[in-house]
Amino acid sequence: MKILRRIWEVIEKVIGIYLPCVTFLIMFVSFCIQIICRYLFNYQFEWTYEFTVIGFMWTAVFGACYSSKIRDHVSFNLIYDRLGGKGQALMSLAGNLIIIVAFFLLIPYAVEYISFMDIKTTPVLKLSFGVAYAPFLIFLLFSIIYIIRDIVLAIRTLFGLHRLPKKEDAA
């Protein structure tokens, strides 16, 4: 069991930390090359734009995986913070159930769209759009896993077996 936990932790770090760092670096370097060549040498590489766009998409999606893990996403806590432990658990449970149903319903459509886009390629690099958009499926799967974790915690809190973690507890 410890080996599986360790493997999962490595996968989480690769998907949530290392990939966004690498894709951001690729995006940033491509952007700098594009700017330097365009304004200093009056020459424009065509591949830099595609690297920048795909790098931005991948950075945002993989970064969102990590954000979901540590519960550091945008939230509006005006009412939630005023409730007690069981009220927060009930509200968390209701919200997470809505999100998880929506994400499960979204999976087949996302797969269909990515499969459809797989036949098209980018103009310069000839990279499949399916590859460019595939990280969205990874985001959905990781988000579902983290939402299931939060649903279990909310249920355990409702039955007095656990307390809901604060934002500071997630890291």
Side-chain angles (χ1 to χ4, degrees):
M1 196 65 172
K2 278 189 174 186
I3 294 172
L4 290 177
R5 185 172 207 61
R6 181 69 184 133
I7 290 171
W8 175 250
E9 288 172 359
V10 169
I11 291 171
E12 279 183 321
K13 280 186 180 178
V14 167
I15 297 291
I17 297 173
Y18 301 130
L19 272 176
C21 288
V22 169
T23 57
F24 180 80
L25 183 65
I26 290 170
M27 177 188 68
F28 182 73
V29 169
S30 299
F31 183 72
C32 289
I33 290 170
Q34 184 179 17
I35 297 299
I36 290 168
C37 289
R38 182 184 301 160
Y39 293 110
L40 293 181
F41 303 117
N42 201 23
Y43 181 79
Q44 183 171 337
F45 289 109
E46 293 183 19
W47 58 268
T48 55
Y49 176 73
E50 287 183 15
F51 266 63
T52 303
V53 171
I54 293 170
F56 176 76
M57 287 189 323
W58 284 27
T59 301
V61 170
F62 288 129
C65 290
Y66 181 72
S67 181
S68 293
K69 176 189 177 194
I70 63 170
R71 297 178 184 93
D72 200 21
H73 42 76
V74 174
S75 60
F76 301 99
N77 298 336
L78 197 60
I79 298 170
Y80 181 84
D81 287 342
R82 297 189 189 281
L83 299 173
K86 290 196 179 192
Q88 288 180 349
L90 196 59
M91 194 172 207
S92 175
L93 182 62
N96 283 325
L97 285 173
I98 291 169
I99 293 169
I100 202 165
V101 167
F103 279 12
F104 270 118
L105 292 174
L106 184 58
I107 288 174
Y109 297 105
V111 169
E112 181 182 338
Y113 184 75
I114 290 169
S115 297
F116 169 72
M117 292 304 286
D118 201 36
I119 60 175
K120 296 182 178 188
T121 60
T122 61
V124 178
L125 298 173
K126 303 299 181 204
L127 179 69
S128 163
F129 277 111
V131 172
Y133 295 134
F136 183 70
L137 278 177
I138 296 169
F139 163 73
L140 282 177
L141 295 175
F142 271 75
S143 292
I144 287 170
I145 290 167
Y146 296 137
I147 291 169
I148 289 170
R149 172 201 62 191
D150 291 345
I151 287 172
V152 169
L153 288 177
I155 291 171
R156 291 184 67 198
T157 301
L158 283 173
F159 289 108
L161 303 171
H162 197 270
R163 71 170 180 82
L164 278 180
K166 300 289 183 198
K167 231 183 195 184
E168 304 83 42
D169 296 343

